[in-house]
Short mmCIF file of all heavy atoms in Angstrom, two decimals:
data_model
loop_
_atom_site.label_atom_id
_atom_site.label_comp_id
_atom_site.label_asym_id
_atom_site.label_seq_id
_atom_site.Cartn_x
_atom_site.Cartn_y
_atom_site.Cartn_z
N MET A 972 19.65 10.49 5.74
CA MET A 972 18.97 9.25 6.14
C MET A 972 17.53 9.54 6.64
O MET A 972 16.66 8.72 6.38
CB MET A 972 19.82 8.71 7.28
CG MET A 972 19.31 7.34 7.79
SD MET A 972 19.69 6.04 6.65
CE MET A 972 21.19 5.42 7.17
N GLU A 973 17.38 10.68 7.29
CA GLU A 973 15.91 10.98 7.69
C GLU A 973 15.01 11.26 6.48
O GLU A 973 13.85 10.86 6.56
CB GLU A 973 16.00 12.18 8.66
CG GLU A 973 14.67 12.38 9.26
CD GLU A 973 14.66 13.42 10.51
OE1 GLU A 973 15.72 13.88 10.87
OE2 GLU A 973 13.60 13.70 10.95
N ILE A 974 15.55 11.79 5.48
CA ILE A 974 14.79 12.08 4.29
C ILE A 974 14.32 10.76 3.68
O ILE A 974 13.11 10.56 3.24
CB ILE A 974 15.49 12.88 3.21
CG1 ILE A 974 15.67 14.32 3.79
CG2 ILE A 974 14.74 12.94 1.92
CD1 ILE A 974 16.53 15.19 2.99
N ILE A 975 15.18 9.72 3.69
CA ILE A 975 14.77 8.42 3.12
C ILE A 975 13.72 7.80 4.02
O ILE A 975 12.70 7.24 3.43
CB ILE A 975 16.02 7.50 3.12
CG1 ILE A 975 17.04 8.06 2.08
CG2 ILE A 975 15.65 6.13 2.80
CD1 ILE A 975 18.39 7.38 2.06
N ALA A 976 13.84 7.95 5.33
CA ALA A 976 12.81 7.36 6.22
C ALA A 976 11.49 8.04 6.03
O ALA A 976 10.47 7.34 5.93
CB ALA A 976 13.32 7.53 7.68
N LEU A 977 11.46 9.36 5.92
CA LEU A 977 10.21 10.09 5.67
C LEU A 977 9.61 9.70 4.34
O LEU A 977 8.38 9.58 4.22
CB LEU A 977 10.43 11.56 5.74
CG LEU A 977 10.65 12.10 7.19
CD1 LEU A 977 11.13 13.57 7.08
CD2 LEU A 977 9.51 11.94 8.06
N THR A 978 10.52 9.58 3.27
CA THR A 978 9.99 9.20 2.04
C THR A 978 9.40 7.80 1.95
O THR A 978 8.28 7.62 1.46
CB THR A 978 11.18 9.27 0.95
OG1 THR A 978 11.70 10.53 1.02
CG2 THR A 978 10.68 8.93 -0.43
N LEU A 979 10.09 6.84 2.58
CA LEU A 979 9.46 5.54 2.67
C LEU A 979 8.15 5.50 3.42
O LEU A 979 7.18 4.79 3.01
CB LEU A 979 10.54 4.52 3.33
CG LEU A 979 11.71 4.19 2.49
CD1 LEU A 979 12.61 3.30 3.34
CD2 LEU A 979 11.30 3.44 1.27
N ASP A 980 8.05 6.24 4.47
CA ASP A 980 6.89 6.31 5.28
C ASP A 980 5.73 6.84 4.50
O ASP A 980 4.60 6.28 4.38
CB ASP A 980 7.16 7.15 6.46
CG ASP A 980 5.92 7.14 7.44
OD1 ASP A 980 5.49 6.09 7.79
OD2 ASP A 980 5.48 8.26 7.73
N ILE A 981 5.90 7.94 3.78
CA ILE A 981 4.78 8.54 3.03
C ILE A 981 4.42 7.75 1.79
O ILE A 981 3.30 7.56 1.51
CB ILE A 981 5.11 10.01 2.60
CG1 ILE A 981 3.78 10.70 2.12
CG2 ILE A 981 6.20 10.06 1.51
CD1 ILE A 981 2.76 10.89 3.12
N ILE A 982 5.38 7.12 1.13
CA ILE A 982 5.11 6.25 0.02
C ILE A 982 4.27 5.06 0.48
O ILE A 982 3.25 4.65 -0.16
CB ILE A 982 6.38 5.73 -0.70
CG1 ILE A 982 7.01 6.93 -1.37
CG2 ILE A 982 6.06 4.59 -1.70
CD1 ILE A 982 8.40 6.54 -1.98
N GLY A 983 4.57 4.47 1.63
CA GLY A 983 3.90 3.38 2.18
C GLY A 983 2.48 3.76 2.49
O GLY A 983 1.52 2.99 2.22
N LYS A 984 2.35 4.87 3.12
CA LYS A 984 0.90 5.35 3.53
C LYS A 984 0.03 5.52 2.24
O LYS A 984 -1.14 5.26 2.26
CB LYS A 984 0.94 6.63 4.39
CG LYS A 984 1.48 6.31 5.76
CD LYS A 984 1.67 7.64 6.48
CE LYS A 984 2.23 7.30 7.88
NZ LYS A 984 2.50 8.58 8.69
N VAL A 985 0.64 6.14 1.27
CA VAL A 985 -0.08 6.42 0.01
C VAL A 985 -0.42 5.08 -0.66
O VAL A 985 -1.58 5.01 -1.15
CB VAL A 985 0.70 7.33 -0.90
CG1 VAL A 985 0.14 7.37 -2.27
CG2 VAL A 985 0.83 8.73 -0.38
N MET A 986 0.46 4.19 -0.63
CA MET A 986 0.19 2.85 -1.26
C MET A 986 -0.97 2.08 -0.56
O MET A 986 -1.82 1.54 -1.21
CB MET A 986 1.48 1.97 -1.34
CG MET A 986 2.46 2.51 -2.29
SD MET A 986 4.05 1.62 -2.23
CE MET A 986 3.63 0.23 -3.19
N VAL A 987 -0.93 2.12 0.73
CA VAL A 987 -2.05 1.43 1.46
C VAL A 987 -3.33 2.17 1.24
O VAL A 987 -4.41 1.55 1.03
CB VAL A 987 -1.67 1.33 2.97
CG1 VAL A 987 -2.82 0.92 3.87
CG2 VAL A 987 -0.48 0.50 3.17
N ALA A 988 -3.36 3.55 1.30
CA ALA A 988 -4.59 4.26 1.05
C ALA A 988 -5.07 3.94 -0.33
O ALA A 988 -6.32 3.72 -0.54
CB ALA A 988 -4.29 5.74 1.24
N TYR A 989 -4.26 3.88 -1.38
CA TYR A 989 -4.59 3.67 -2.71
C TYR A 989 -5.31 2.32 -2.80
O TYR A 989 -6.29 2.10 -3.47
CB TYR A 989 -3.40 3.75 -3.64
CG TYR A 989 -3.65 3.06 -4.99
CD1 TYR A 989 -4.40 3.69 -5.91
CD2 TYR A 989 -3.22 1.80 -5.25
CE1 TYR A 989 -4.73 3.10 -7.17
CE2 TYR A 989 -3.45 1.21 -6.45
CZ TYR A 989 -4.29 1.79 -7.37
OH TYR A 989 -4.57 1.22 -8.62
N THR A 990 -4.67 1.34 -2.08
CA THR A 990 -5.15 -0.06 -2.24
C THR A 990 -6.58 -0.15 -1.67
O THR A 990 -7.49 -0.72 -2.30
CB THR A 990 -4.18 -1.00 -1.40
OG1 THR A 990 -2.88 -0.89 -1.96
CG2 THR A 990 -4.69 -2.42 -1.45
N ALA A 991 -6.83 0.53 -0.56
CA ALA A 991 -8.09 0.49 0.04
C ALA A 991 -9.14 1.12 -0.78
O ALA A 991 -10.27 0.65 -1.09
CB ALA A 991 -8.07 1.14 1.45
N LEU A 992 -8.79 2.32 -1.36
CA LEU A 992 -9.71 3.05 -2.22
C LEU A 992 -9.96 2.23 -3.57
O LEU A 992 -11.08 2.20 -4.04
CB LEU A 992 -9.22 4.41 -2.58
CG LEU A 992 -9.10 5.36 -1.33
CD1 LEU A 992 -8.41 6.60 -1.74
CD2 LEU A 992 -10.53 5.67 -0.89
N ALA A 993 -8.96 1.62 -4.10
CA ALA A 993 -9.04 0.93 -5.33
C ALA A 993 -9.93 -0.34 -5.25
O ALA A 993 -10.78 -0.54 -6.10
CB ALA A 993 -7.68 0.51 -5.87
N VAL A 994 -9.87 -1.04 -4.14
CA VAL A 994 -10.69 -2.22 -3.98
C VAL A 994 -12.13 -1.78 -3.85
O VAL A 994 -12.98 -2.45 -4.45
CB VAL A 994 -10.17 -3.00 -2.70
CG1 VAL A 994 -11.28 -4.10 -2.27
CG2 VAL A 994 -8.91 -3.68 -3.02
N HIS A 995 -12.34 -0.81 -2.99
CA HIS A 995 -13.74 -0.35 -2.85
C HIS A 995 -14.37 0.17 -4.16
O HIS A 995 -15.56 -0.07 -4.47
CB HIS A 995 -13.84 0.75 -1.75
CG HIS A 995 -13.65 0.24 -0.43
ND1 HIS A 995 -12.42 0.15 0.22
CD2 HIS A 995 -14.55 -0.33 0.46
CE1 HIS A 995 -12.53 -0.38 1.45
NE2 HIS A 995 -13.80 -0.68 1.64
N ARG A 996 -13.56 0.96 -4.91
CA ARG A 996 -14.01 1.43 -6.18
C ARG A 996 -14.32 0.28 -7.14
O ARG A 996 -15.39 0.32 -7.82
CB ARG A 996 -12.93 2.38 -6.77
CG ARG A 996 -13.33 3.02 -8.13
CD ARG A 996 -12.20 3.84 -8.67
NE ARG A 996 -10.92 3.24 -8.50
CZ ARG A 996 -10.18 2.69 -9.42
NH1 ARG A 996 -10.61 2.66 -10.62
NH2 ARG A 996 -9.02 2.15 -9.18
N ARG A 997 -13.43 -0.68 -7.17
CA ARG A 997 -13.55 -1.86 -8.20
C ARG A 997 -14.89 -2.58 -7.84
O ARG A 997 -15.67 -2.91 -8.72
CB ARG A 997 -12.44 -2.69 -8.07
CG ARG A 997 -12.53 -4.04 -8.82
CD ARG A 997 -12.27 -3.84 -10.32
NE ARG A 997 -10.96 -3.36 -10.50
CZ ARG A 997 -10.45 -3.09 -11.68
NH1 ARG A 997 -11.16 -3.37 -12.81
NH2 ARG A 997 -9.29 -2.63 -11.82
N VAL A 998 -15.13 -2.92 -6.58
CA VAL A 998 -16.28 -3.71 -6.16
C VAL A 998 -17.59 -2.88 -6.33
O VAL A 998 -18.56 -3.36 -6.86
CB VAL A 998 -16.18 -4.14 -4.69
CG1 VAL A 998 -17.54 -4.75 -4.22
CG2 VAL A 998 -15.08 -5.11 -4.52
N ARG A 999 -17.50 -1.58 -6.09
CA ARG A 999 -18.70 -0.70 -6.28
C ARG A 999 -18.99 -0.58 -7.75
O ARG A 999 -20.19 -0.67 -8.13
CB ARG A 999 -18.44 0.66 -5.75
CG ARG A 999 -19.70 1.63 -5.70
CD ARG A 999 -19.37 2.93 -5.09
NE ARG A 999 -18.46 3.71 -5.85
CZ ARG A 999 -17.31 4.19 -5.44
NH1 ARG A 999 -16.90 4.00 -4.24
NH2 ARG A 999 -16.55 4.87 -6.31
N LYS A 1000 -17.99 -0.53 -8.62
CA LYS A 1000 -18.19 -0.42 -10.06
C LYS A 1000 -18.72 -1.70 -10.66
O LYS A 1000 -19.70 -1.70 -11.38
CB LYS A 1000 -16.89 -0.06 -10.78
CG LYS A 1000 -16.98 0.18 -12.19
CD LYS A 1000 -15.62 0.47 -12.83
CE LYS A 1000 -15.67 0.45 -14.34
NZ LYS A 1000 -14.31 0.59 -14.89
N GLU A 1001 -18.15 -2.84 -10.25
CA GLU A 1001 -18.54 -4.04 -10.87
C GLU A 1001 -19.79 -4.75 -10.23
O GLU A 1001 -20.50 -5.57 -10.85
CB GLU A 1001 -17.33 -5.02 -10.72
CG GLU A 1001 -16.08 -4.57 -11.36
CD GLU A 1001 -16.17 -4.76 -12.87
OE1 GLU A 1001 -16.95 -5.50 -13.45
OE2 GLU A 1001 -15.47 -3.90 -13.53
N HIS A 1002 -20.07 -4.45 -8.98
CA HIS A 1002 -21.22 -5.01 -8.21
C HIS A 1002 -21.11 -6.48 -8.15
O HIS A 1002 -22.13 -7.20 -7.81
CB HIS A 1002 -22.50 -4.65 -8.84
CG HIS A 1002 -22.84 -3.17 -8.78
ND1 HIS A 1002 -23.09 -2.43 -7.67
CD2 HIS A 1002 -22.80 -2.30 -9.82
CE1 HIS A 1002 -23.32 -1.17 -7.93
NE2 HIS A 1002 -23.10 -1.03 -9.27
N LYS A 1003 -19.96 -7.06 -8.38
CA LYS A 1003 -19.78 -8.52 -8.27
C LYS A 1003 -18.29 -8.69 -8.18
O LYS A 1003 -17.50 -7.88 -8.59
CB LYS A 1003 -20.33 -9.29 -9.32
CG LYS A 1003 -19.91 -8.91 -10.79
CD LYS A 1003 -20.57 -9.71 -11.88
CE LYS A 1003 -19.98 -9.20 -13.17
NZ LYS A 1003 -20.49 -9.85 -14.26
N ILE A 1004 -17.91 -9.91 -7.76
CA ILE A 1004 -16.50 -10.31 -7.76
C ILE A 1004 -16.30 -11.46 -8.74
O ILE A 1004 -16.54 -12.54 -8.48
CB ILE A 1004 -16.05 -10.69 -6.30
CG1 ILE A 1004 -16.23 -9.38 -5.38
CG2 ILE A 1004 -14.65 -11.04 -6.30
CD1 ILE A 1004 -15.88 -9.70 -4.00
N ASP A 1005 -15.81 -11.07 -9.94
CA ASP A 1005 -15.43 -12.11 -10.93
C ASP A 1005 -13.99 -12.27 -11.07
O ASP A 1005 -13.21 -11.73 -10.22
CB ASP A 1005 -16.10 -11.78 -12.26
CG ASP A 1005 -15.70 -10.42 -12.79
OD1 ASP A 1005 -14.86 -9.80 -12.19
OD2 ASP A 1005 -16.22 -10.00 -13.86
N LYS A 1006 -13.46 -13.02 -12.05
CA LYS A 1006 -12.03 -13.22 -12.22
C LYS A 1006 -11.28 -11.86 -12.38
O LYS A 1006 -10.22 -11.72 -11.77
CB LYS A 1006 -11.75 -14.05 -13.42
CG LYS A 1006 -11.58 -15.48 -13.11
CD LYS A 1006 -11.10 -16.31 -14.32
CE LYS A 1006 -10.89 -17.66 -13.96
NZ LYS A 1006 -10.50 -18.54 -15.10
N ALA A 1007 -11.76 -10.97 -13.11
CA ALA A 1007 -11.07 -9.65 -13.32
C ALA A 1007 -10.98 -8.85 -12.03
O ALA A 1007 -9.87 -8.35 -11.72
CB ALA A 1007 -11.71 -8.85 -14.38
N VAL A 1008 -12.01 -8.87 -11.28
CA VAL A 1008 -12.03 -8.19 -10.00
C VAL A 1008 -11.08 -8.81 -9.02
O VAL A 1008 -10.29 -8.25 -8.33
CB VAL A 1008 -13.41 -7.97 -9.47
CG1 VAL A 1008 -13.37 -7.38 -8.04
CG2 VAL A 1008 -14.28 -7.17 -10.36
N PHE A 1009 -11.12 -10.18 -8.96
CA PHE A 1009 -10.25 -10.92 -8.13
C PHE A 1009 -8.84 -10.72 -8.46
O PHE A 1009 -7.96 -10.54 -7.59
CB PHE A 1009 -10.61 -12.48 -8.22
CG PHE A 1009 -9.86 -13.36 -7.32
CD1 PHE A 1009 -10.15 -13.28 -5.90
CD2 PHE A 1009 -8.86 -14.14 -7.69
CE1 PHE A 1009 -9.42 -14.03 -5.02
CE2 PHE A 1009 -8.18 -14.98 -6.75
CZ PHE A 1009 -8.44 -14.88 -5.46
N TYR A 1010 -8.48 -10.68 -9.74
CA TYR A 1010 -7.04 -10.45 -10.16
C TYR A 1010 -6.63 -9.05 -9.73
O TYR A 1010 -5.55 -8.87 -9.14
CB TYR A 1010 -6.96 -10.53 -11.70
CG TYR A 1010 -5.59 -10.18 -12.19
CD1 TYR A 1010 -4.47 -11.01 -11.98
CD2 TYR A 1010 -5.38 -9.04 -12.84
CE1 TYR A 1010 -3.25 -10.72 -12.48
CE2 TYR A 1010 -4.15 -8.57 -13.25
CZ TYR A 1010 -3.05 -9.44 -13.11
OH TYR A 1010 -1.78 -9.09 -13.53
N ALA A 1011 -7.49 -8.04 -9.90
CA ALA A 1011 -7.18 -6.64 -9.46
C ALA A 1011 -6.98 -6.62 -7.96
O ALA A 1011 -6.11 -5.92 -7.51
CB ALA A 1011 -8.24 -5.73 -9.97
N MET A 1012 -7.90 -7.27 -7.33
CA MET A 1012 -7.70 -7.31 -5.77
C MET A 1012 -6.42 -7.94 -5.38
O MET A 1012 -5.75 -7.45 -4.37
CB MET A 1012 -8.87 -8.02 -5.17
CG MET A 1012 -10.24 -7.24 -5.31
SD MET A 1012 -11.63 -8.08 -4.73
CE MET A 1012 -11.45 -8.19 -3.03
N LYS A 1013 -5.99 -9.01 -6.00
CA LYS A 1013 -4.66 -9.63 -5.68
C LYS A 1013 -3.51 -8.67 -5.93
O LYS A 1013 -2.64 -8.51 -5.19
CB LYS A 1013 -4.48 -10.95 -6.56
CG LYS A 1013 -5.07 -12.13 -5.88
CD LYS A 1013 -4.62 -13.44 -6.61
CE LYS A 1013 -3.40 -13.94 -6.07
NZ LYS A 1013 -3.46 -15.30 -5.50
N ARG A 1014 -3.55 -7.93 -7.07
CA ARG A 1014 -2.56 -7.02 -7.42
C ARG A 1014 -2.49 -5.89 -6.46
O ARG A 1014 -1.43 -5.50 -5.94
CB ARG A 1014 -2.72 -6.51 -8.83
CG ARG A 1014 -1.61 -5.55 -9.23
CD ARG A 1014 -1.89 -4.95 -10.57
NE ARG A 1014 -3.03 -4.00 -10.48
CZ ARG A 1014 -4.14 -4.02 -11.30
NH1 ARG A 1014 -4.16 -4.74 -12.38
NH2 ARG A 1014 -5.12 -3.17 -11.13
N GLU A 1015 -3.69 -5.43 -6.03
CA GLU A 1015 -3.79 -4.28 -5.06
C GLU A 1015 -3.34 -4.76 -3.71
O GLU A 1015 -2.77 -3.99 -2.95
CB GLU A 1015 -5.17 -3.74 -5.08
CG GLU A 1015 -5.42 -2.98 -6.33
CD GLU A 1015 -6.95 -2.89 -6.72
OE1 GLU A 1015 -7.82 -3.47 -6.00
OE2 GLU A 1015 -7.26 -2.20 -7.74
N GLN A 1016 -3.55 -6.01 -3.31
CA GLN A 1016 -3.08 -6.58 -2.15
C GLN A 1016 -1.60 -6.55 -2.07
O GLN A 1016 -0.99 -6.23 -0.97
CB GLN A 1016 -3.56 -7.94 -1.98
CG GLN A 1016 -3.21 -8.60 -0.58
CD GLN A 1016 -3.71 -10.03 -0.45
OE1 GLN A 1016 -3.97 -10.64 -1.46
NE2 GLN A 1016 -3.82 -10.50 0.82
N LEU A 1017 -0.92 -6.83 -3.22
CA LEU A 1017 0.50 -6.86 -3.25
C LEU A 1017 1.09 -5.35 -2.97
O LEU A 1017 2.02 -5.11 -2.29
CB LEU A 1017 1.10 -7.34 -4.58
CG LEU A 1017 2.58 -7.33 -4.86
CD1 LEU A 1017 3.22 -8.18 -3.77
CD2 LEU A 1017 2.93 -7.78 -6.17
N ILE A 1018 0.35 -4.42 -3.61
CA ILE A 1018 0.72 -2.99 -3.44
C ILE A 1018 0.49 -2.64 -1.98
O ILE A 1018 1.40 -1.96 -1.46
CB ILE A 1018 -0.14 -2.11 -4.32
CG1 ILE A 1018 0.16 -2.36 -5.85
CG2 ILE A 1018 0.07 -0.62 -4.04
CD1 ILE A 1018 -0.78 -1.62 -6.80
N GLY A 1019 -0.49 -3.07 -1.40
CA GLY A 1019 -0.77 -2.75 0.02
C GLY A 1019 0.30 -3.33 0.96
O GLY A 1019 0.82 -2.66 1.83
N ILE A 1020 0.71 -4.59 0.67
CA ILE A 1020 1.76 -5.21 1.46
C ILE A 1020 3.09 -4.44 1.32
O ILE A 1020 3.83 -4.24 2.26
CB ILE A 1020 1.85 -6.69 1.10
CG1 ILE A 1020 0.62 -7.49 1.59
CG2 ILE A 1020 3.14 -7.32 1.63
CD1 ILE A 1020 0.54 -8.81 1.11
N THR A 1021 3.33 -4.09 0.07
CA THR A 1021 4.57 -3.29 -0.18
C THR A 1021 4.55 -1.98 0.57
O THR A 1021 5.60 -1.55 1.10
CB THR A 1021 4.77 -3.04 -1.71
OG1 THR A 1021 4.76 -4.30 -2.38
CG2 THR A 1021 6.08 -2.30 -1.96
N GLY A 1022 3.43 -1.39 0.55
CA GLY A 1022 3.22 -0.09 1.43
C GLY A 1022 3.52 -0.37 2.81
O GLY A 1022 4.16 0.49 3.41
N ILE A 1023 3.01 -1.44 3.37
CA ILE A 1023 3.26 -1.59 4.77
C ILE A 1023 4.67 -1.84 5.05
O ILE A 1023 5.22 -1.39 6.06
CB ILE A 1023 2.40 -2.90 5.27
CG1 ILE A 1023 0.86 -2.47 5.18
CG2 ILE A 1023 2.84 -3.33 6.61
CD1 ILE A 1023 -0.04 -3.68 5.37
N ILE A 1024 5.37 -2.63 4.13
CA ILE A 1024 6.85 -2.77 4.33
C ILE A 1024 7.54 -1.47 4.33
O ILE A 1024 8.40 -1.28 5.08
CB ILE A 1024 7.29 -3.78 3.29
CG1 ILE A 1024 6.82 -5.17 3.46
CG2 ILE A 1024 8.87 -3.80 3.19
CD1 ILE A 1024 7.06 -6.16 2.31
N PHE A 1025 7.19 -0.59 3.38
CA PHE A 1025 7.73 0.78 3.31
C PHE A 1025 7.57 1.54 4.62
O PHE A 1025 8.50 2.17 5.17
CB PHE A 1025 7.28 1.58 2.16
CG PHE A 1025 7.83 1.19 0.79
CD1 PHE A 1025 7.26 1.76 -0.32
CD2 PHE A 1025 8.94 0.40 0.70
CE1 PHE A 1025 7.79 1.44 -1.52
CE2 PHE A 1025 9.41 -0.01 -0.51
CZ PHE A 1025 8.90 0.55 -1.59
N MET A 1026 6.36 1.40 5.21
CA MET A 1026 6.12 2.13 6.48
C MET A 1026 6.97 1.61 7.62
O MET A 1026 7.48 2.36 8.43
CB MET A 1026 4.65 1.98 6.85
CG MET A 1026 3.72 2.97 5.99
SD MET A 1026 2.07 3.10 6.59
CE MET A 1026 1.49 1.53 5.95
N VAL A 1027 7.08 0.24 7.60
CA VAL A 1027 7.90 -0.40 8.71
C VAL A 1027 9.39 0.00 8.50
O VAL A 1027 10.10 0.31 9.45
CB VAL A 1027 7.80 -1.93 8.70
CG1 VAL A 1027 8.76 -2.61 9.59
CG2 VAL A 1027 6.35 -2.24 9.14
N LEU A 1028 9.85 -0.01 7.18
CA LEU A 1028 11.22 0.34 7.00
C LEU A 1028 11.41 1.81 7.39
O LEU A 1028 12.50 2.14 8.03
CB LEU A 1028 11.67 0.12 5.54
CG LEU A 1028 11.77 -1.30 5.11
CD1 LEU A 1028 12.04 -1.42 3.57
CD2 LEU A 1028 12.97 -1.93 5.84
N GLY A 1029 10.53 2.68 7.06
CA GLY A 1029 10.59 4.06 7.43
C GLY A 1029 10.71 4.28 8.98
O GLY A 1029 11.43 5.03 9.50
N TYR A 1030 9.89 3.50 9.68
CA TYR A 1030 9.88 3.54 11.15
C TYR A 1030 11.22 3.07 11.70
O TYR A 1030 11.80 3.66 12.56
CB TYR A 1030 8.72 2.62 11.67
CG TYR A 1030 8.81 2.45 13.18
CD1 TYR A 1030 8.37 3.57 14.00
CD2 TYR A 1030 9.26 1.34 13.80
CE1 TYR A 1030 8.38 3.43 15.38
CE2 TYR A 1030 9.39 1.21 15.18
CZ TYR A 1030 8.91 2.22 15.94
OH TYR A 1030 8.97 2.07 17.33
N ILE A 1031 11.74 1.96 11.19
CA ILE A 1031 13.04 1.41 11.61
C ILE A 1031 14.10 2.47 11.32
O ILE A 1031 14.96 2.73 12.24
CB ILE A 1031 13.43 0.08 10.93
CG1 ILE A 1031 12.47 -1.00 11.41
CG2 ILE A 1031 14.81 -0.29 11.13
CD1 ILE A 1031 12.45 -2.27 10.61
N LEU A 1032 14.08 3.14 10.18
CA LEU A 1032 15.12 4.14 9.92
C LEU A 1032 14.99 5.33 10.86
O LEU A 1032 16.00 5.87 11.30
CB LEU A 1032 14.93 4.59 8.44
CG LEU A 1032 15.48 3.68 7.44
CD1 LEU A 1032 15.22 4.19 6.01
CD2 LEU A 1032 16.93 3.44 7.63
N HIS A 1033 13.79 5.72 11.25
CA HIS A 1033 13.55 6.78 12.21
C HIS A 1033 14.11 6.44 13.54
O HIS A 1033 14.82 7.23 14.15
CB HIS A 1033 12.02 7.11 12.46
CG HIS A 1033 11.47 7.99 11.37
ND1 HIS A 1033 11.81 9.32 11.30
CD2 HIS A 1033 10.59 7.77 10.51
CE1 HIS A 1033 11.08 9.88 10.32
NE2 HIS A 1033 10.36 8.99 9.75
N ILE A 1034 13.93 5.15 13.96
CA ILE A 1034 14.51 4.67 15.24
C ILE A 1034 16.01 4.66 15.17
O ILE A 1034 16.71 5.12 16.09
CB ILE A 1034 13.95 3.33 15.59
CG1 ILE A 1034 12.44 3.35 15.80
CG2 ILE A 1034 14.63 2.74 16.84
CD1 ILE A 1034 11.96 4.35 16.92
N PHE A 1035 16.55 4.19 14.10
CA PHE A 1035 17.93 4.13 13.83
C PHE A 1035 18.64 5.54 13.95
O PHE A 1035 19.65 5.70 14.49
CB PHE A 1035 18.30 3.45 12.54
CG PHE A 1035 19.73 3.26 12.28
CD1 PHE A 1035 20.51 2.37 12.93
CD2 PHE A 1035 20.40 4.06 11.29
CE1 PHE A 1035 21.87 2.28 12.70
CE2 PHE A 1035 21.71 3.98 10.98
CZ PHE A 1035 22.44 2.97 11.68
N ILE A 1036 17.93 6.53 13.31
CA ILE A 1036 18.46 7.84 13.34
C ILE A 1036 18.51 8.43 14.82
O ILE A 1036 19.42 9.19 15.19
CB ILE A 1036 17.52 8.79 12.42
CG1 ILE A 1036 17.72 8.39 10.98
CG2 ILE A 1036 17.88 10.27 12.70
CD1 ILE A 1036 16.76 9.03 10.06
N LYS A 1037 17.54 8.08 15.57
CA LYS A 1037 17.41 8.59 16.94
C LYS A 1037 18.49 7.99 17.89
O LYS A 1037 18.79 8.58 18.84
CB LYS A 1037 15.97 8.35 17.57
CG LYS A 1037 14.91 9.01 16.72
CD LYS A 1037 14.91 10.54 16.89
CE LYS A 1037 13.75 11.05 16.02
NZ LYS A 1037 13.80 12.40 15.99
N LEU A 1038 18.94 6.83 17.59
CA LEU A 1038 19.98 6.14 18.36
C LEU A 1038 21.32 6.75 18.01
O LEU A 1038 22.17 7.14 18.04
CB LEU A 1038 19.99 4.68 18.14
CG LEU A 1038 18.70 4.00 18.56
CD1 LEU A 1038 18.80 2.40 18.18
CD2 LEU A 1038 18.39 4.13 19.96
#
């Protein structure tokens, strides 16, 4: 159970970090926000939200294990 918690936690952190880096890279590369960039940002936002959910689930599992 603890391995699952740690796995969800690290996957969530990597997903959120990827999202932040990808958005910055996309805007820096394009120098503007058009439809393609907006679509990519929406997709990356979904990845970021999923990552946050994984981190919260990992935290809950850690707490559950300690009880």
Side-chain angles (χ1 to χ4, degrees):
M972 186 71 91
E973 189 168 353
I974 291 174
I975 294 171
L977 290 171
T978 302
L979 288 175
D980 185 52
I981 193 64
I982 289 172
K984 288 176 182 175
V985 169
M986 290 174 80
V987 170
Y989 164 77
T990 301
L992 293 173
V994 167
H995 287 94
R996 179 181 42 104
R997 172 79 61 179
V998 172
R999 188 176 69 237
K1000 179 182 173 187
E1001 298 290 332
H1002 297 288
K1003 61 183 176 179
I1004 298 179
D1005 58 5
K1006 262 189 178 178
V1008 173
F1009 185 71
Y1010 175 75
M1012 289 171 72
K1013 271 188 92 120
R1014 185 185 66 226
E1015 290 157 358
Q1016 183 181 21
L1017 179 62
I1018 294 170
I1020 290 169
T1021 305
I1023 292 169
I1024 290 169
F1025 281 170
M1026 286 189 283
V1027 170
L1028 288 175
Y1030 174 76
I1031 290 169
L1032 286 174
H1033 277 289
I1034 296 301
F1035 182 72
I1036 291 168
K1037 301 292 180 185
L1038 297 178

